[in-house]
Amino acid sequence: MPDLPPQRRSRSLDRFEAEIVQAELACTRWRMQAEGLEAAGRDGRQVRGLLGVAEERLARLVRSREVLLAGDEGVEESEPA
């Protein structure tokens, strides 16, 4: 497999920002759907499960962005022993 050139951090950050916006929209959509079902007296557990998956993805994206930003600042987190 050929070696790929590293992406510029700013381009990577832009991509993370776009992915975070999409993940936030997905969370909002699932949350509204679950609340609508529950308000109508219907079972919203399945949709709540999908909301949980979307929230976990959002959390991972935010964490990845933080790590990338920390690298831009020259800050390295210490690894646990």
Side-chain angles (χ1 to χ4, degrees):
M1 183 187 303
D3 289 334
L4 298 175
Q7 286 188 343
R8 293 188 342 257
R9 285 190 192 266
S10 62
R11 198 164 97 192
S12 296
L13 279 172
D14 290 344
R15 182 176 171 139
F16 271 114
E17 292 298 333
E19 290 289 327
I20 287 170
V21 167
Q22 291 301 314
E24 288 171 341
L25 290 172
C27 287
T28 299
R29 184 178 63 244
W30 289 123
R31 188 174 297 109
M32 289 177 64
Q33 188 173 353
E35 290 170 357
L37 286 170
E38 292 162 354
R42 298 181 59 201
D43 187 359
R45 289 179 293 177
Q46 181 180 10
V47 176
R48 289 275 177 198
L50 293 170
L51 171 60
V53 171
E55 288 173 336
E56 289 171 5
R57 180 172 187 270
L58 175 59
R60 285 192 308 271
L61 287 168
V62 168
R63 177 67 185 129
S64 294
R65 179 185 62 188
E66 290 170 355
V67 168
L68 193 60
L69 285 171
D72 275 351
E73 296 169 2
V75 176
E76 293 185 21
E77 295 183 19
S78 60
E79 294 183 19

